[in-house]
Amino acid sequence: MTGMPDKIVLSGPVGAGKTTAIHALSDGSALSTDATASDVTGAVKDLTTVALDHGAFNLDNGDRVHLFGTPGQDRFDYMWEILSEGANGLVLLVPNDHVNPLSQLRFFVRSFAPLVNGAAIAVGVTHTDLSSLPTLDEYHQLLTEMGLPNAPVHAVDARQPDDVRHLILDLLFPRPIRTPRHARETTF
């Protein structure tokens, strides 16, 4: 941390908890650009992010961290690129109760490849209370296969500020993880 504000992008599929996580962790009010879901998203939830969510919080040392949540629908993927500019890290939230969450993780890692190649990444698995499979080890195994063996993976309740804060801190201040002698290149 350099004393400069850090910018973290939160992304993942519709219903993963991005807006909820930003509101839970932010100091003061957070900005949301929710609109009534007018497509198949309406079957999952009433409102959906159409541009971005924004919130911020201070670390114990006084540094300010800005959180930018992306829309989960890939028709808004142009916002993913815009919001990724200048970001220090990417948090992917993946709902464990959705159909094939590992495929969703792979899709979002590939979609954010330019950011993943130049910044830190962490994965928060939400809705583990609704589905215990896949396991966190399976998420980590997929990330390792994709060349991201050091990406932290945590079960997260997006409504709980401590869960979200722990995930963000693990992204910003990674703990040393033993890596293979010959680390593979990232293979999205």
Side-chain angles (χ1 to χ4, degrees):
M1 302 285 290
T2 62
M4 297 293 292
D6 278 286
K7 178 181 178 181
I8 306 298
V9 173
L10 277 79
S11 195
V14 170
K18 301 174 296 291
T19 300
T20 301
I22 289 172
H23 281 271
L25 187 58
S26 294
D27 300 337
S29 63
L31 166 75
S32 293
T33 59
D34 287 348
T36 302
S38 60
D39 56 8
V40 295
T41 302
V44 177
K45 59 188 206 168
D46 296 330
L47 297 175
T48 190
T49 301
V50 294
L52 65 104
D53 295 314
H54 176 264
F57 71 100
N58 287 328
L59 298 173
D60 291 341
N61 67 3
D63 286 343
R64 191 106 174 121
V65 177
H66 293 270
L67 306 171
F68 289 86
T70 70
Q73 300 172 49
D74 60 2
R75 68 183 171 127
F76 297 116
D77 64 353
Y78 61 92
M79 288 301 301
W80 302 352
E81 184 177 337
I82 292 168
L83 294 173
S84 293
E85 288 182 33
N88 304 85
L90 173 67
V91 170
L92 291 177
L93 294 180
V94 181
N96 219 38
D97 64 332
H98 281 203
V99 175
N100 203 346
L102 293 176
S103 176
Q104 291 178 340
L105 175 60
R106 183 182 300 277
F107 170 78
F108 278 92
V109 168
R110 287 178 176 162
S111 296
F112 282 88
L115 177 56
V116 171
N117 282 327
I121 180 174
V123 175
V125 182
T126 61
H127 304 181
T128 57
D129 56 327
L130 302 175
S131 177
S132 60
L133 296 174
T135 66
L136 297 182
D137 285 341
E138 289 174 280
Y139 283 94
H140 190 265
Q141 180 180 351
L142 175 59
L143 289 166
T144 299
E145 290 169 8
M146 295 181 77
L148 300 166
N150 297 326
V153 178
H154 298 283
V156 173
D157 183 337
R159 301 166 295 187
Q160 299 299 320
D162 287 342
D163 282 8
V164 180
R165 184 178 182 85
H166 180 74
L167 182 64
I168 300 292
L169 290 176
D170 222 11
L171 172 86
L172 293 173
F173 305 104
R175 290 174 275 150
I177 298 175
R178 211 176 344 173
T179 58
R181 184 174 270 192
H182 302 288
R184 286 196 309 226
E185 290 185 24
T186 305
T187 55
F188 303 132

